[in-house]
């Protein structure tokens, strides 16, 4: 069981978001998972240029750190996304990762995976960011098991309590993977996404060969 945590904060060792991602991973490790922490800000990930070559070939032509990160995500059983609230959205570092994952959305490559989210904010909006991060996991095909959010203005005692919640969330994530849990309330979204993405790909089958071949293979299985 592999669980990957991706911290979208650019603050390095001072990142409070990173502390929450780490707490989730520690909880997962205690529950038996193999864990890895990734600092997205330490990677060189270029913006998506909408060339659509990944739709056609399954590979991005950009020479940077994304391919290695993406491979780790595909190999993981569980994914933890973490980001601070930067003007009511995720950080630029995290958004750059997401924007390079259109192929994964079209092919629903995270189906069968599990995930969760953590978020921070100076004064407000952390809950909204955590909800968005889980939404991204869901549209990629993953089941989400929960989220925690911290507001820095609440003070260090409140943050310490949130770290404990994050630790428990990590244990829950690992348990969901071990138990192969199902979440009926998310099944409708997954079915709708899969049907919509398949229809989109089939409408472009003459150009998006890689994605078309993927969905044909899914039908055969």
């Amino acid at each position: 069981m592999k669980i990957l945590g991706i911290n979208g904060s650019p603050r390095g060792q001072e990142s409070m978001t990173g502390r929450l991602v780490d707490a989730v991973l520690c909880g997962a490790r205690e529950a038996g998972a193999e864990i890895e922490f990734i600092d997205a800000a330490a990677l060189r990930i270029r913006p998506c240029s909408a060339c659509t070559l990944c739709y056609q070939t399954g590979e991005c032509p950009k020479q940077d750190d994304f391919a290695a990160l993406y491979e780790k995500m595909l190999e993981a059983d569980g994914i933890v996304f973490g980001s601070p609230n930067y003007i009511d959205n995720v950080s630029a570092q995290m958004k750059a990762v997401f924007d390079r994952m259109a192929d994964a959305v079209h092919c629903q490559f995270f189906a069968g995976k599990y995930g969760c989210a953590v978020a921070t904010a100076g004064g407000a909006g952390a809950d909204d960011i955590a909800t968005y991060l889980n939404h991204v996991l869901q549209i990629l095909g993953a089941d989400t098991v929960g989220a925690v959010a911290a507001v820095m203005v609440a003070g260090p005692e409140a943050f310490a309590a949130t770290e404990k919640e994050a630790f428990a969330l990590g244990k829950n994530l690992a348990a969901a993977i071990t138990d192969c849990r199902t979440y009926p309330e998310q099944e409708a979204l997954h079915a709708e996404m899969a049907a919509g993405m398949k229809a989109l790909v089939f409408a472009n089958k003459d150009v998006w060969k890689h994605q078309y071949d993927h969905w044909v293979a899914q039908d055969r299985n």
Side-chain angles (χ1 to χ4, degrees):
M1 174 172 47
K2 296 181 179 179
I3 296 180
L4 183 70
I6 304 174
N7 176 28
S9 169
R11 300 191 68 222
Q13 294 296 319
E14 296 181 356
S15 170
M16 304 301 280
T17 306
R19 283 175 58 177
L20 293 182
V21 173
D22 186 61
V24 174
L25 293 178
C26 287
R29 181 175 57 196
E30 184 171 286
E34 176 185 336
I35 63 170
E36 183 174 359
F37 180 100
I38 299 290
D39 183 355
L43 303 179
R44 179 173 176 263
I45 298 180
R46 297 168 61 191
C48 176
S49 55
C51 69
T52 75
L53 286 175
C54 64
Y55 303 174
Q56 302 170 43
T57 68
E59 297 181 2
C60 179
K62 297 184 185 301
Q63 300 299 307
D64 59 11
D65 295 325
F66 176 76
L69 173 61
Y70 185 48
E71 188 64 27
K72 288 179 184 291
M73 285 192 275
L74 291 178
E75 292 174 353
D77 302 294
I79 306 287
V80 184
F81 283 154
S83 177
N85 175 11
Y86 284 176
I87 312 182
D88 294 332
N89 211 321
V90 296
S91 67
Q93 290 80 5
M94 184 61 83
K95 192 62 166 60
V97 172
F98 292 165
D99 287 349
R100 293 282 291 277
M101 297 182 71
D103 185 44
V105 175
H106 284 190
C107 294
Q108 293 292 280
F109 280 144
F110 278 30
K113 298 185 187 297
Y114 294 82
C116 64
V118 299
T120 60
D127 288 328
D128 293 336
I129 300 305
T131 297
Y132 170 71
L133 292 169
N134 269 341
H135 173 69
V136 171
L137 285 163
Q138 290 172 359
I139 66 171
L140 287 163
D143 282 317
T144 57
V145 306
V148 296
V151 178
M152 297 302 102
V153 72
E157 290 185 2
F159 186 81
T162 305
E163 281 186 294
K164 291 180 180 178
E165 291 178 22
F167 183 87
L169 179 61
K171 294 182 72 173
N172 186 39
L173 175 60
I177 295 168
T178 300
D179 298 340
C180 297
R181 288 183 193 161
T182 58
Y183 295 85
E185 68 277 12
Q186 297 183 48
E187 289 178 1
L189 171 63
H190 294 322
E192 181 180 353
M193 282 297 302
M197 292 301 99
K198 180 180 176 181
L200 176 64
V201 170
F202 272 58
N204 293 275
K205 64 182 181 180
D206 293 335
V207 181
W208 299 353
K209 185 178 186 305
H210 147 71
Q211 294 185 350
Y212 176 70
D213 288 346
H214 164 76
W215 282 110
V216 169
Q218 292 293 107
D219 286 343
R220 288 173 182 162
N221 294 332

